[in-house]
Amino acid sequence: MLELTREIQRLKQERNAVILAHNYQLEEVQKVADYVGDSFYLSKLAANSQHDVIVFCGVRFMAETAKIVSPTKIVLLPEKDAGCPLAEMITGQGLRILKSQHPGVPVVCYINSSAEVKAESDICCTSANAVKIVASLPDRKVIFVPDENLGDYVAKQVSDKELILWKGHCVTHAKVQPKDVNQVRELYPTAKILIHPECNPAVAALADFVGSTSEIIRYAQLSEESTFVIGTEMGVVCTLKETMPNKQFFLLHPGLVCPNMKKTRLESVYRALQDQQYEIHVESEYALRAQLTLQRMLEVV
């Protein structure tokens, strides 16, 4: 593994590449990355990158987003089959039909969506800034796609808006049920329970804190408490344990493992750099409109 890491570093310099890894990636991948973070943080880095090549260790919509905001860069997705079931729950055609039913209503799309869906939307958001994005719109009605759980969370924070939600969800976060939260309360009565807003609203209602991956990490860093139960993908627990060894972190549910995020291995990163695979291309008919949608988000936050 040490030799592979050295080769990755050599190729990175040779290709003038930067490696971006999502918080949900395997620890071995996070360790060779130049930057590790949530979708919002990584999308900002991609937009401002001075490198020729961006190796995006995540899932397809993330690499697509990097290509959209950095169209002149070579963007590589180390595992071509690393997709996102949530992003696949809505199509451009489906969104166009919904828009026709609510003419004139602006569309906020979660970053967990395809380039075509972004092109059909007015502004993008991440879980870290969704409330701020929706609140920034002057309209009372807003279409929010595709995650209905995140949309429900946003609607509760922005009570002056009426959100029209799409029936989509993260299959990993959806595994958590209220009984799981009640069980860990009994098991770790002094622990703070931190939950991602992609979880079911009934689950989020039982949390001590609800936030994106970056917000969960920040909460744990700033808290004087020492024990936490984490209600999001297990990759965040790995990050927390490594950065805060003096605190205890437990995963809320054993099913909080995203199989698509775990497809990328150290060997995948090496092959991506060595063979320049798998390069991401975004259809020109979507690229510019999707770029505007993402740019509007970056201007707000």
Side-chain angles (χ1 to χ4, degrees):
M1 185 173 288
L2 183 59
E3 183 59 32
L4 199 55
T5 299
R6 286 174 180 159
E7 278 298 293
I8 288 170
Q9 296 302 326
R10 180 186 66 79
L11 287 166
K12 190 177 71 172
Q13 297 301 320
E14 191 176 292
R15 305 278 197 264
N16 188 26
V18 63
I19 301 173
L20 308 181
H22 193 272
N23 286 315
Y24 296 168
Q25 289 289 293
L26 290 168
E27 186 178 0
E28 65 186 51
V29 174
Q30 292 191 27
K31 284 186 174 180
V32 297
D34 296 293
Y35 301 96
V36 178
D38 64 7
S39 296
F40 178 53
Y41 173 67
L42 297 177
S43 64
K44 287 195 296 181
L45 287 172
N48 298 314
S49 174
Q50 300 302 309
H51 296 81
D52 297 324
V53 179
I54 298 171
V55 180
F56 210 116
C57 303
V59 293
R60 178 163 292 275
F61 79 81
M62 296 177 181
E64 274 190 354
T65 299
K67 183 64 178 179
I68 291 165
V69 298
S70 299
T72 62
K73 311 291 185 185
I74 294 170
V75 178
L76 305 175
L77 180 66
E79 287 292 335
K80 65 178 179 180
D81 296 326
C84 173
L86 168 59
E88 293 162 7
M89 288 181 185
I90 185 170
T91 63
Q93 178 62 17
L95 179 52
R96 285 189 287 273
I97 292 171
L98 181 61
K99 287 166 65 177
S100 71
Q101 295 168 350
H102 303 278
V105 177
V107 178
V108 177
C109 72
Y110 192 21
I111 201 166
N112 299 39
S113 55
S114 68
E116 183 181 4
V117 168
K118 288 181 177 71
E120 289 293 335
S121 302
D122 295 286
I123 191 167
C124 194
C125 76
T126 69
S127 54
N129 63 32
V131 172
K132 187 173 183 179
I133 293 294
V134 171
S136 74
L137 299 174
D139 311 75
R140 192 182 71 81
K141 280 189 177 183
V142 176
I143 295 172
F144 189 95
V145 299
D147 192 309
E148 63 178 331
N149 291 337
L150 177 59
D152 180 88
Y153 171 77
V154 172
K156 288 181 170 70
Q157 312 306 309
V158 191
S159 58
D160 62 324
K161 308 282 188 186
E162 178 187 341
L163 267 65
I164 300 160
L165 306 180
W166 183 267
K167 293 290 184 182
H169 63 275
C170 168
V171 296
T172 297
H173 286 98
K175 293 174 184 175
V176 184
Q177 299 299 316
K179 64 180 177 60
D180 301 313
V181 183
N182 294 328
Q183 286 172 358
V184 296
R185 281 275 186 215
E186 293 181 9
L187 198 56
Y188 308 108
T190 62
K192 291 295 183 182
I193 300 178
L194 317 182
I195 289 177
H196 196 283
E198 286 183 15
C199 286
N200 185 289
V203 170
L206 298 174
D208 293 304
F209 176 76
V210 178
S212 68
T213 54
S214 62
E215 290 170 331
I216 285 173
I217 291 169
R218 191 178 307 116
Y219 183 99
Q221 288 172 333
L222 299 176
S223 176
E224 294 181 358
E225 301 295 329
S226 61
T227 307
F228 303 89
V229 175
I230 306 300
T232 191
E233 215 275 346
M234 67 172 294
V236 175
V237 176
C238 296
T239 301
L240 290 166
K241 285 182 175 179
E242 185 170 339
T243 56
M244 286 169 268
N246 59 320
K247 297 184 178 184
Q248 287 187 303
F249 299 95
F250 302 97
L251 191 63
L252 174 56
H253 188 285
L256 284 168
V257 181
C258 175
N260 281 285
M261 283 288 189
K262 303 311 186 205
K263 286 180 178 178
T264 305
R265 309 299 295 256
L266 207 57
E267 293 84 354
S268 315
V269 181
Y270 169 74
R271 288 196 306 270
L273 285 163
Q274 175 67 30
D275 303 326
Q276 197 164 296
Q277 66 181 36
Y278 295 92
E279 187 171 357
I280 293 295
H281 299 281
V282 177
E283 293 180 51
S284 57
E285 63 179 302
Y286 307 135
L288 184 57
R289 287 187 292 149
Q291 186 179 50
L292 290 172
T293 299
L294 287 158
Q295 186 57 43
R296 291 185 191 114
M297 172 184 75
L298 296 173
E299 288 171 357
V300 170
V301 296

